Amino acid sequence: MFTTRNGEVPFWDHPLLKGSKILPKKYFPYTGIEGAITLLNRKIIDDKDFTLIKVLGDAICATEEQLRRYMEPIMSRSDTSKRLDRLRTNGIVERWKVRIRTDVEEAIKPAAPFTLGVAGFKLLKHYYNDQFYMDPNRWDNYGIGGIKRYVAMNELRCQLIERKVLSKWKWNARIANNHRYKFPLGVGEIKTQNGNINFLIDRAQMNQNYIGYFRDKLENWKYVHEKYGCLPVSDFPENVQMVILYTSTLSIAEQIQKELLLDTYPFNILLCVEEFMEEGLNTSFFQPHKEGLNRIRLPI
């Protein structure tokens, strides 16, 4: 396991995490579009509820703490929690319990992750049919690995939104409008003091063969770059592109640079290290070079 500078394994990248959905005691789920729309028509769901559902759908999977931060401009943190708890009753959202596999119950429990329930998914797909939302059935395949991955990505996404530098975001955006090219997990258009940049972001997880995963993806993008002279992202402005490899610890970032020699690729690559984000998002980036990694400050 790779540890932080303090010798800890980050919770949301811990290889021994386990997780499962927790149903509420009073549970009357709606499973069809008619029932979901009825919740709106009968005012069981109000406008703020619908906004919260949309925010969760756009995030795919986020913790309660992250959702409180996303919703802070329009409601209090306690109001967000109360609404999430009420929306569970009708299967609009689903709550997960995630713990480290151990015989001892942890004294510190993490904020619970939330995903769309069947009713929430049906509702959003009805009103925003052209947009992607995660089908709740797919979590049976993704499991805890998917939960960890999206929670981690939402921490970066949430901080970009809080700093008002994220003008556009898309999960699994196509490169050069070709489904055969490997896609980044998320793409964000970032406002900087020197103009907008498209961040092509992907996440390294400890329980994944991330070296092989990134090697295949970067070699594929190298071919794209040689063909187009850039990494064009479909439905995004033609900004400067920056590939961001997002890791939980500096030790993982250093291992990636050692194995893949990121500075030899023809496009810009930075590593974003989560353990440094508490010191400031703009100072959590590292630039690869032949001697290792240099910590830099981004103008955001």
Side-chain angles (χ1 to χ4, degrees):
M1 295 185 190
F2 290 91
T3 59
T4 65
R5 294 167 292 170
N6 299 326
E8 300 173 347
V9 180
F11 183 87
W12 290 109
D13 198 14
H14 203 296
L16 299 180
L17 284 193
K18 62 178 181 178
S20 60
K21 287 185 288 188
I22 303 297
L23 301 180
K25 292 180 180 179
K26 295 181 179 179
Y27 188 51
F28 311 100
Y30 286 77
T31 58
I33 185 60
E34 296 87 355
I37 293 176
T38 297
L39 292 171
L40 272 177
N41 293 339
R42 293 182 178 177
K43 306 297 182 182
I44 298 172
I45 297 175
D46 63 21
D47 290 343
K48 287 187 176 181
D49 288 330
F50 193 83
T51 300
L52 177 55
I53 298 165
K54 181 71 165 61
V55 167
L56 175 57
D58 290 342
I60 297 184
C61 173
T63 66
E64 184 171 348
E65 174 64 20
Q66 289 169 342
L67 290 169
R68 286 171 172 176
R69 288 156 60 196
Y70 278 134
M71 298 300 294
E72 211 158 13
I74 66 170
M75 67 177 70
S76 69
R77 296 165 64 88
S78 61
D79 193 18
T80 297
S81 295
K82 289 176 183 177
R83 289 174 184 271
L84 286 170
D85 196 49
R86 177 167 49 80
L87 293 171
R88 293 173 64 206
T89 305
N90 298 121
I92 298 169
V93 304
E94 293 181 332
R95 180 176 181 170
W96 292 69
K97 179 181 178 181
V98 178
R99 297 287 186 271
I100 297 173
R101 288 198 295 270
T102 176
D103 294 332
V104 180
E105 186 71 12
E106 293 85 0
I108 300 176
K109 298 178 174 62
F114 280 82
T115 58
L116 285 179
V118 174
F121 173 73
K122 294 284 187 182
L123 202 59
L124 290 182
K125 286 303 289 184
H126 177 71
Y127 287 101
Y128 302 95
N129 190 254
D130 61 329
Q131 297 183 27
F132 171 80
Y133 297 103
M134 184 70 81
D135 187 327
N137 292 316
R138 296 177 67 177
W139 289 113
D140 293 336
N141 297 323
Y142 287 143
I144 190 62
I147 295 291
K148 291 194 298 183
R149 196 172 180 82
Y150 283 106
V151 165
M153 284 289 288
N154 267 296
E155 185 54 38
L156 177 55
R157 179 175 179 263
C158 191
Q159 291 206 25
L160 290 168
I161 290 174
E162 287 174 327
R163 285 156 180 76
K164 297 180 172 59
V165 297
L166 184 66
S167 60
K168 185 175 183 178
W169 179 272
K170 188 170 184 178
W171 298 101
N172 302 328
R174 284 190 179 183
I175 301 295
N177 202 30
N178 190 328
H179 69 276
R180 293 188 179 90
Y181 297 146
K182 294 185 181 296
F183 50 78
L185 183 56
V187 176
E189 184 182 10
I190 312 300
K191 294 179 285 187
T192 79
Q193 298 167 12
N194 302 324
N196 288 8
I197 299 175
N198 292 338
F199 276 8
L200 285 69
I201 310 169
D202 223 307
R203 172 75 174 185
Q205 297 289 150
M206 281 192 213
N207 61 334
Q208 169 196 41
N209 174 19
Y210 53 85
I211 296 297
Y213 174 80
F214 283 143
R215 179 181 285 115
D216 290 346
K217 187 160 288 192
L218 293 175
E219 287 298 322
N220 182 255
W221 290 351
K222 183 178 179 180
Y223 168 79
V224 174
H225 192 275
E226 289 172 352
K227 182 176 180 179
Y228 294 96
C230 63
L231 296 175
V233 183
S234 301
D235 302 320
F236 272 75
E238 295 181 1
N239 299 318
V240 173
Q241 306 96 30
M242 184 77 69
V243 173
I244 307 294
L245 305 187
Y246 179 35
T247 71
S248 59
T249 69
L250 178 59
S251 52
I252 296 178
E254 290 172 335
Q255 181 69 17
I256 291 172
Q257 169 58 10
K258 180 181 177 181
E259 296 278 350
L260 298 182
L261 303 176
L262 302 176
D263 55 294
T264 63
Y265 283 89
F267 41 82
N268 296 318
I269 301 177
L270 292 179
L271 293 113
C272 178
V273 180
E274 192 173 6
E275 66 171 305
F276 286 87
M277 286 167 64
E278 291 183 359
E279 301 174 15
L281 177 61
N282 61 332
T283 63
S284 63
F285 292 87
F286 289 76
Q287 189 169 38
H289 63 96
K290 62 181 180 181
E291 302 298 328
L293 298 175
N294 280 340
R295 192 176 181 185
I296 63 172
R297 180 184 292 272
L298 280 189
I300 58 175

